[in-house]
Amino acid sequence: MIEVVQQVEAFAIENDAPKIDTLVLQIGELSSVVPEYLKKIYPMAIEHTLLEATKLEIEIIPGNGKCKVCKQVFNLLKTNGICPQCAGTDIELLSGKEFFIKEIICFDADDKDT
Ligand SMILES: [Zn+2]
């Protein structure tokens, strides 16, 4: 998390320190990162940084795989990695291990509050 904060800080400095409102992260549900934990430590991680008082948003990317036998695409977590169609276990991972900074929303950007 600290690393992410440093990355965003570097971005802010490069871009003449825009006022950051919200940091949006994309996290795959198969990654080792626990979103709830991130949200918990975020206020600590941003203390005394440029990100102080910013908000954190997390988007979860489903852990999807494609069966190499029958080409079925399915959610790996729900089926424990076993193809629901043919019970195959030779699966190609499509998504779910991501950990990205998706977006850095600044105050000047379009008003996204709904
Ligand atoms: Zn299959």
Side-chain angles (χ1 to χ4, degrees):
M1 190 64 216
I2 305 283
E3 265 171 48
V4 172
V5 171
Q6 281 169 350
Q7 270 184 51
V8 178
E9 262 200 303
F11 171 88
I13 291 163
E14 261 173 40
N15 290 273
D16 208 14
K19 282 205 182 337
I20 296 168
D21 180 40
T22 306
L23 172 64
V24 185
L25 296 179
Q26 277 192 325
I27 299 173
E29 65 182 1
L30 300 177
S31 80
S32 54
V33 180
V34 182
E36 288 312 309
Y37 174 71
L38 271 191
K39 281 187 182 164
K40 224 176 181 178
I41 64 164
Y42 189 69
M44 271 99 80
I46 61 174
E47 237 175 31
H48 310 302
T49 73
L50 278 176
L51 297 182
E52 202 160 22
T54 60
K55 283 171 285 194
L56 176 67
E57 259 177 48
I58 294 176
E59 289 180 12
I60 306 292
I61 299 172
N64 283 341
K66 184 171 154 190
C67 177
K68 286 182 183 170
V69 179
C70 71
K71 313 294 181 205
Q72 175 87 359
V73 174
F74 58 96
N75 185 288
L76 288 166
L77 274 193
K78 283 186 188 143
T79 63
N80 282 321
I82 297 163
C83 175
Q85 190 156 283
C86 72
T89 52
D90 196 4
I91 311 300
E92 181 190 346
L93 182 69
L94 296 179
S95 63
K97 296 240 180 202
E98 295 82 355
F99 185 75
F100 291 139
I101 297 171
K102 187 204 171 194
E103 204 178 352
I104 296 167
I105 302 170
C106 302
F107 285 115
D108 292 342
D110 295 343
D111 195 3
K112 279 199 155 188
D113 283 343
T114 46

